[in-house]
Amino acid sequence: QVQLVESGGGLVQPGGSLRLSCAASVSIFVINAMGWHRQAPGKQRELVARITRGGITNYVDSVKGRFTISKDNALNTVYLQMDSLKPEDTAVYYCNAITSRDYWGQGTQVTVSS
């Protein structure tokens, strides 16, 4: 019932920045929480950042101080601002929406390399 479309991935050098966007097909007011997960080759998918309907955020320790999750209710969109990117941030990033079920976007590749 919920469609998610990610954008903003790409190739950047270490220390660079990217902003990921995830647009939902419904008002995000009706979504309990939205977030970003990532999966690197050979690793399990991990939570990167999450924001609840009420605006509470949480981050995996490895990105604290570098990544910021935010949302725009009017645009039904959640963002992930990624600064000071490191090679270990390289992964496919997936948008996630939590309702009575979990919904996932198609993923967007982020590559951090010199």
Side-chain angles (χ1 to χ4, degrees):
Q1 191 171 356
V2 179
Q3 293 180 317
L4 305 172
V5 180
E6 303 111 326
S7 62
L11 173 64
V12 297
Q13 294 184 332
S17 297
L18 286 172
R19 189 181 74 161
L20 306 183
S21 299
C22 175
S25 63
V26 299
S27 172
I28 60 175
F29 181 78
V30 304
I31 300 174
N32 293 331
M34 296 187 69
W36 293 92
H37 295 238
R38 67 186 180 188
Q39 187 165 22
K43 295 186 176 181
Q44 295 183 217
R45 188 174 297 188
E46 68 171 349
L47 172 69
V48 178
R50 177 176 290 152
I51 185 166
T52 70
R53 184 168 53 207
I56 300 172
T57 61
N58 63 280
Y59 302 88
V60 67
D61 286 346
S62 60
V63 309
K64 288 181 179 177
R66 300 188 297 119
F67 291 11
T68 303
I69 189 169
S70 62
K71 61 178 181 174
D72 187 326
N73 292 331
L75 296 178
N76 299 331
T77 300
V78 65
Y79 305 94
L80 184 67
Q81 177 67 43
M82 304 185 293
D83 298 322
S84 302
L85 283 161
K86 303 175 180 179
E88 51 262 44
D89 295 318
T90 296
V92 177
Y93 285 70
Y94 296 91
C95 184
N96 169 236
I98 301 173
T99 61
S100 58
R101 298 176 58 188
D102 284 358
Y103 296 88
W104 296 90
Q106 78 283 0
T108 185
Q109 177 71 47
V110 171
T111 302
V112 185
S113 176
S114 60

